[in-house]
Amino acid sequence: MTGPAAPVSPEARARARLTVGSIMSFDVDVVAVLVFATVGRSTHEHGLDVVGILGTAWPFLVGTVLGWIVSRAWRRPFAPWSTGLVVWAFTWGLGMALRAGTGGGTAPAFMLVALGFLGLTLVGWRAVATLVMSRRAA
């Protein structure tokens, strides 16, 4: 037999929200990279099989993970500047370096499209979320 549940402290609730927010934020970043790879493959008629999409996305996903680690994104997952810019820079920069190092294409036009798309998605969703949360708080 168990007794009544202990009340949950405000700190415990804040940690739970942070954990859920971090997981959701990481998921959104991964989806953004997968959409980038999918759209690129579709545009260039490379096929949309899962292996092909992952083959295109993996260098950028590695960059995303490293960007999360360097920025400690789990602490402020929704911050567009302190988190979003770092995640974007690592996703794009390391992604391009890994593509180049493994024989993938790094044409200037591709690099610019990737820079823009990944910037709009990885920083953009955070800016929108921050705006929505600040309006709700007001």
Side-chain angles (χ1 to χ4, degrees):
M1 187 154 82
T2 61
V8 179
S9 71
E11 294 83 13
R13 281 188 217 148
R15 277 193 304 277
R17 278 193 306 273
L18 178 63
T19 301
V20 170
S22 296
I23 292 168
M24 288 180 358
S25 297
F26 182 76
D27 291 347
V28 171
D29 287 347
V30 167
V31 167
V33 171
L34 291 174
V35 167
F36 166 69
T38 302
V39 169
R41 290 184 64 81
S42 174
T43 301
H44 297 287
E45 300 175 7
H46 290 302
L48 296 179
D49 58 294
V50 173
V51 173
I53 292 168
L54 292 175
T56 300
W58 80 263
F60 300 99
L61 291 171
V62 170
T64 302
V65 170
L66 190 56
W68 263 73
I69 292 167
V70 168
S71 70
R72 297 180 181 185
W74 57 90
R75 291 184 174 187
R76 296 187 63 213
F78 300 104
W81 310 125
S82 61
T83 300
L85 286 176
V86 175
V87 171
W88 172 33
F90 274 87
T91 299
W92 182 81
L94 187 55
M96 288 299 166
L98 289 171
R99 274 183 67 87
T102 58
T106 55
F110 171 69
M111 293 175 72
L112 288 173
V113 168
L115 185 69
F117 184 93
L118 293 170
L120 285 173
T121 55
L122 298 175
V123 177
W125 79 258
R126 286 177 168 87
V128 170
T130 299
L131 181 64
V132 168
M133 288 186 291
S134 68
R135 290 201 176 177
R136 281 189 183 169

